[in-house]
Amino acid sequence: MSRIPGLSRAVGTAAGSTLALALLVCGCVFAAMAGPALSLHTQSQALHQSLAGLAATTDTVQASAQWLTFGTALEPKGAKGLQAFTRSELDRAGREIGQGFAAGGLPLAAGAWAGLSSMLWVVSGTGPRAVTELPPQLEVVYRDPLTSNARLVAGTYATTRVPAGAVGVVATTQMAYGFGLHPGSRLALETQDDGTVQLFVTAIVAERAPGSTFWTQDPTVGTPSLNDPSTHPYWVGGVIADPDQIVAMEDAFSDLEMYWEFPLAVGGVSADAAQGLYDALNRATVTVARFSAS
């Protein structure tokens, strides 16, 4: 087994709120138990009502790591250069992380997904709507599974037409409108360390279950936003690498973040079980993940 010191685990929307769900759960418990005459059933009902009002990104657990740190830790001794992760390897890491969470007492729900993300970079090749005082910026992400979370509107996921050296990507309908994209669009990102990264749009997609964490964890990927509108406005957006483009994306960008998202099944948590969930969440944020050797 390999220990990955570079892996961090976050509960909630960001590392700065790593115990967001745990604190909200405990707060709900205290509110539900405020009256000593309340029955356990009534306490549980109050807890469930409070949990039902939480955003999807709050009742999740996310594990993340820098791609370079993660890959270096898993490289066998004597390996020459860091090898790109395949889709199956990313999935396997997610399964093992999930197994660790479940073994630690976290009630995992269906809908887990994994991904990679680049930094935001200035992009050229967009339509005129995306051009304001400052040039637009774009991030590239890889998310798996994509096909079950998106519906094809135009184009295809088949990437045989992607030019050599480019990364095949899809854009949501909102991104297509705001950035003037269509199947066949060519974009160029000006990165700091990797030079110019070429992107080729293969398809336009519509979001399935837009309220899910797949789309709400980083809303910019699906819907562009205008930054600094009152001072120096510029548009920010994102595109998603095609399902078979994970290696191409890793070859194109040297600075990537890896992450695995696990929704929690908290709807059935009773008031007397909330403390156990709180304890499990605390353990999850400090446990070092373990992975089987390659």
Side-chain angles (χ1 to χ4, degrees):
M1 302 289 284
S2 300
R3 290 166 62 90
I4 311 301
L7 185 75
S8 64
R9 294 181 176 184
V11 180
T13 56
S17 56
T18 54
L19 294 182
L21 175 59
L23 294 175
L24 282 170
V25 168
C26 285
C28 295
V29 173
F30 294 148
M33 299 180 67
L38 290 178
S39 67
L40 181 61
H41 175 70
T42 303
Q43 295 171 19
S44 296
Q45 281 187 321
L47 176 62
H48 293 163
Q49 290 174 356
S50 297
L51 291 175
L54 299 179
T57 52
T58 305
D59 52 0
T60 62
V61 179
Q62 185 184 88
S64 62
Q66 290 301 309
W67 177 82
L68 182 61
T69 303
F70 188 86
T72 301
L74 286 180
E75 277 296 298
K77 291 183 179 180
K80 296 182 179 180
L82 183 61
Q83 299 299 310
F85 287 92
T86 64
R87 183 178 181 181
S88 62
E89 289 170 336
L90 186 69
D91 289 345
R92 186 183 69 179
R95 287 194 301 272
E96 295 186 7
I97 294 171
Q99 289 167 1
F101 282 142
L106 292 182
L108 302 186
W113 55 276
L116 299 168
S117 65
S118 76
M119 298 176 63
L120 282 164
W121 299 109
V122 170
V123 59
S124 58
T126 67
R129 280 196 192 90
V131 179
T132 56
E133 179 178 336
L134 298 177
Q137 296 186 20
L138 193 73
E139 68 174 320
V140 181
V141 305
Y142 175 88
R143 291 188 176 178
D144 185 48
L146 173 62
T147 55
S148 60
N149 285 283
R151 175 177 57 85
L152 275 174
V153 174
T156 174
Y157 291 124
T159 53
T160 54
R161 297 184 298 117
V162 176
V167 181
V169 299
V170 304
T172 65
T173 52
Q174 302 97 306
M175 276 296 303
Y177 176 80
F179 275 54
L181 305 178
H182 56 81
S185 291
R186 296 172 183 251
L187 302 170
L189 299 182
E190 299 302 326
T191 73
Q192 182 174 342
D193 299 320
D194 303 307
T196 302
V197 174
Q198 302 290 336
L199 306 177
F200 182 82
V201 178
T202 66
I204 306 302
V205 300
E207 301 173 3
R208 294 186 190 271
S212 69
T213 61
F214 190 91
W215 296 109
T216 58
Q217 190 60 251
D218 182 2
T220 300
V221 173
T223 305
S225 62
L226 185 63
N227 280 17
D228 296 331
S230 60
T231 53
H232 304 288
Y234 64 97
W235 283 99
V236 171
V239 291
I240 307 173
D242 280 24
D244 69 347
Q245 292 288 284
I246 182 172
V247 173
M249 179 176 173
E250 292 174 272
D251 288 343
F253 297 98
S254 59
D255 188 2
L256 292 169
E257 183 182 8
M258 309 178 73
Y259 43 86
W260 297 264
E261 193 86 14
F262 301 91
L264 295 175
V266 296
V269 177
S270 63
D272 61 343
Q275 183 62 48
L277 175 58
Y278 174 82
D279 294 340
L281 288 166
N282 273 302
R283 288 193 300 270
T285 60
V286 297
T287 301
V288 177
R290 294 177 179 273
F291 300 89
S292 57
S294 302

